[in-house]
Amino acid sequence: HTDSVACTALNLDCNLTEDTTKTPPLAAVGGYDGAIVIYNPYTGEKLQVLEGPSDVEWLCFHPKGGSVLLAGSVADGTVWMYHIPMKKCMQVFVGHQSGVTAGSFSADGKWALSASQDGTLRVWAPRTGNCRHTFKTGEAGLTCLAIGGGSDGQLVLVGAEDGAAHACHVGTKKIVATLRHFEPPNNQANDDEEMELPMSVEAVGFSPANPNWCATGGVDGVLKIWDLSHDGQCRQVCKRPEEGNATARKAGITRLRWHAALPLVLTASTDGVLRLWDARSGAMLKEITGHSDVINDMDVAFLQPENNGGTIIAATASDDKSARIFEIDVAAALPSQQQ
């Protein structure tokens, strides 16, 4: 890549067939140079390069099969859908009034979802390219998106620049909860100062083990755990030990992912560090270093997660112009295993 690597996606958690010639394991990497490069995640071999949006902001594989890829542009507000084995673009979704900052397929794979700086979450029909519904969350631009929430898996969570996160139900087409991740101090003198506050929610996610639990991460470096089954109650606030020090450098959270089976959250930050958190106690369990600059994106896969947490494989993309693969032994990070 000749510019910042903005996003990465793995298809290892998709329902791959046993015939790896049809749906091989893939890692997709997108950058602000407009290139989407497809790699073999195990060997690092470059398999193909896709042409598409000018600034690729995010990537997502289809949950069934892992051979269809979504890519969103922050430059022109479009979303592109590719068929990797056929090496072709199948659809371009057009309708957002501003950059598309996040997107995904729905949990059941029936819809394509996109969140934009225009303050809307759109639901698209992949076959026709038509927009089926638009959630209008407010004036603030949307920054991030997560799927698979609620007992029916139909909840989508989007984070916004004004410090809020909104839970939207794709089936009923209603916004069911608004979570206030960042509350401005009461002594704000004017609106100009308020704009400089670390308000924006940059990462959101649902817990696979308890889909009514979700998490928000912000530029303030704080991770919050919420319970949607209790009117969006905030259950835990997770901070680095040095976060309370006024002179400490803020490490804003850029991405987060819940563990597949345990109440653990992995976050990526602007200081280039991955951190593993206990969502119940709020404790930071482990820091994983390697990048020298902001981590722009992170995707994860879990190997044997039921076996003491198993192993987390994390693919990251950074402003240091590199993409890295990390292997994290979860059991070694748990307090009970350290004694």
Side-chain angles (χ1 to χ4, degrees):
H1 285 277
T2 58
D3 203 339
S4 292
V5 178
C7 49
T8 181
L10 297 168
N11 72 348
L12 305 183
D13 277 350
C14 303
N15 299 324
L16 301 179
T17 63
E18 293 184 4
D19 185 357
T20 57
T21 59
K22 290 184 178 179
T23 52
L26 302 171
V29 179
Y32 291 151
D33 55 4
I36 301 172
V37 186
I38 309 298
Y39 295 94
N40 180 320
Y42 297 116
T43 66
E45 177 191 1
K46 183 189 292 188
L47 303 177
Q48 61 176 285
V49 178
L50 302 171
E51 295 299 326
S54 53
D55 284 359
V56 183
E57 181 71 12
W58 57 269
L59 297 166
C60 176
F61 281 102
H62 195 280
K64 294 180 170 58
S67 62
V68 174
L69 180 73
L70 276 184
S73 169
V74 74
D76 62 13
T78 59
V79 179
W80 298 50
M81 186 172 69
Y82 301 90
H83 191 272
I84 303 300
M86 295 171 62
K87 300 182 181 181
K88 64 176 285 189
C89 176
M90 302 168 65
Q91 195 67 258
V92 178
F93 306 98
V94 180
H96 280 295
Q97 302 302 308
S98 190
V100 180
T101 51
S104 176
F105 286 103
S106 59
D108 57 12
K110 292 182 178 179
W111 312 105
L113 309 166
S114 59
S116 170
Q117 293 168 336
D118 64 13
T120 66
L121 166 67
R122 288 180 178 254
V123 182
W124 307 89
R127 292 188 184 277
T128 64
N130 295 331
C131 179
R132 298 298 299 268
H133 185 68
T134 301
F135 290 95
K136 297 178 180 178
T137 61
E139 296 297 320
L142 301 181
T143 60
C144 51
L145 175 151
I147 62 165
S151 55
D152 59 0
Q154 292 291 300
L155 281 183
V156 178
L157 189 64
V158 289
E161 292 174 350
D162 63 356
H166 308 277
C168 307
H169 195 279
V170 175
T172 63
K173 300 176 181 176
K174 292 181 179 179
I175 299 176
V176 299
T178 294
L179 314 174
R180 294 299 314 181
H181 175 90
F182 184 88
E183 293 287 357
N186 292 327
N187 60 354
Q188 274 313 121
N190 56 54
D191 291 339
D192 291 338
E193 288 187 24
E194 186 173 320
M195 292 303 292
E196 298 175 5
L197 291 171
M199 298 176 67
S200 184
V201 175
E202 294 292 315
V204 291
F206 290 103
S207 166
N210 184 351
N212 285 315
W213 279 33
C214 62
T216 56
V219 294
D220 57 359
V222 176
L223 173 71
K224 289 190 176 183
I225 310 299
W226 308 83
D227 187 351
L228 294 176
S229 64
H230 287 79
D231 297 322
Q233 173 191 359
C234 182
R235 299 190 63 97
Q236 194 58 257
V237 178
C238 311
K239 298 181 180 180
R240 294 185 303 152
E242 61 268 34
E243 203 68 55
N245 184 346
T247 60
R249 186 162 71 97
K250 293 284 184 183
I253 293 173
T254 57
R255 291 290 185 269
L256 70 82
R257 283 290 296 270
W258 284 82
H259 189 276
L262 300 177
L264 305 174
V265 181
L266 183 68
T267 61
S269 297
T270 55
D271 61 355
V273 179
L274 298 177
R275 293 178 175 87
L276 187 64
W277 305 84
D278 186 327
R280 288 178 298 189
S281 69
M284 185 178 69
L285 303 177
K286 186 177 180 64
E287 290 187 314
I288 303 99
T289 59
H291 282 294
S292 61
D293 208 336
V294 177
I295 299 175
N296 292 314
D297 200 13
M298 173 182 71
D299 197 11
V300 302
F302 300 95
L303 306 180
Q304 298 182 313
E306 295 82 12
N307 184 17
N308 288 328
T311 301
I312 300 174
I313 305 296
T316 55
S318 170
D319 269 349
D320 64 14
K321 299 183 181 179
S322 75
R324 293 174 182 263
I325 305 286
F326 295 91
E327 187 174 307
I328 304 166
D329 184 343
V330 176
L334 297 176
S336 59
Q337 302 293 324
Q338 293 173 343
Q339 297 173 357

